[in-house]
Amino acid sequence: MKNFKSIALALVAFVSFATTAQTKKVDAAKSTINWVGKKVTGAHEGTIAIKEGNLVFKGKKVVNGNFIVDMTSINTTDLSGKGKTNLDGHLKSDDFFGVEKFPTATLVFKTIGEKGNGVYAVTADLTIKGITHPIKFELTVAGNTAATTLKVDRTKYDIKYGSGSFFSDLGDKTISDEFELTVKLAF
């Protein structure tokens, strides 16, 4: 009987250990976010830094996540000199991300569905400029890395500058409402 109790106790301890969530902190220095914004006459691209973030696992499965992005780090990589300085400044201004008032953006996972082979369907709340909307994307996890691509409709976050959805006479100055983020995380 004593042996049975020991086995039962060991089994309970093992099950508890196997189902306990483990939070893995994202290594901000090794993680990247690349952005692309398009306009009628071309596109611009750059980077933005992750301030901090976590993925939560139960066993090998992702069950949660949250991230803070440093909006003050917006950096254009396809320009140099005065053009780069001007675009970086404009993106940080109130016409776009208003980083003085809103220095961070956040992404908080709400639901996660496992699709198999380390791929997850994620619905998250994205907050930019203090405005929150749901966003859906696929997250691929392999080892100590994760990657995704998100398409964000900037007009949902009161970023209407140059939007053909709000201004009809922009011609070749029209900027796409969507921008794309390619995210690679290391943890």
Side-chain angles (χ1 to χ4, degrees), residues 95-96 106 120 169:
D95 281 345
F96 285 93
T106 60
Y120 299 86
D169 59 349

Side-chain angles (χ1 to χ4, degrees), residues 67 97 105-111 122-137 150-160 166 177-179 181:
F67 305 89
F97 296 100
T106 60
L107 181 75
V108 179
F109 290 11
K110 292 298 180 183
T111 62
V122 179
T123 301
D125 281 345
L126 177 62
T127 303
I128 299 173
K129 292 180 73 172
I131 301 168
T132 304
H133 287 284
I135 189 167
K136 294 180 179 187
F137 56 92
L150 301 112
K151 290 191 180 208
V152 179
D153 180 347
R154 65 188 175 94
T155 63
K156 290 182 177 182
Y157 303 92
D158 197 30
I159 306 169
K160 298 175 184 172
F166 293 91
D177 289 347
E178 284 190 339
F179 63 91
L181 299 173

Side-chain angles (χ1 to χ4, degrees), residues 101-120:
K101 186 174 180 184
F102 303 101
T104 61
T106 60
L107 181 75
V108 179
F109 290 11
K110 292 298 180 183
T111 62
I112 301 173
E114 188 175 8
K115 297 181 84 171
N117 296 324
V119 178
Y120 299 86

Side-chain angles (χ1 to χ4, degrees), residues 66-83:
N66 60 75
F67 305 89
I68 299 173
V69 176
D70 179 3
M71 298 304 290
T72 66
S73 71
I74 294 171
N75 178 42
T76 306
T77 58
D78 67 323
L79 296 173
S80 60
K82 187 172 180 159

Side-chain angles (χ1 to χ4, degrees), residues 13-21 58-59:
F14 174 76
V15 169
S16 296
F17 177 76
T19 58
T20 301
K58 273 196 177 176

Side-chain angles (χ1 to χ4, degrees), residues 22-121:
Q22 179 186 12
T23 300
K24 294 186 179 183
K25 187 175 178 161
V26 171
D27 185 336
K30 292 181 180 176
S31 301
T32 60
I33 302 175
N34 293 296
W35 59 263
V36 175
K38 297 180 180 177
K39 56 185 181 173
V40 172
T41 57
H44 289 293
E45 59 188 60
T47 61
I48 189 163
I50 295 173
K51 186 172 184 176
E52 61 185 76
N54 298 294
L55 285 174
V56 180
F57 291 81
K58 273 196 177 176
K60 293 185 178 186
K61 295 181 182 181
V62 176
V63 295
N64 207 336
N66 60 75
F67 305 89
I68 299 173
V69 176
D70 179 3
M71 298 304 290
T72 66
S73 71
I74 294 171
N75 178 42
T76 306
T77 58
D78 67 323
L79 296 173
S80 60
K82 187 172 180 159
K84 173 187 170 29
T85 301
N86 288 344
L87 183 54
D88 286 352
H90 198 197
L91 291 173
K92 292 175 183 180
S93 78
D94 290 341
D95 281 345
F96 285 93
F97 296 100
V99 302
E100 191 172 305
K101 186 174 180 184
F102 303 101
T104 61
T106 60
L107 181 75
V108 179
F109 290 11
K110 292 298 180 183
T111 62
I112 301 173
E114 188 175 8
K115 297 181 84 171
N117 296 324
V119 178
Y120 299 86

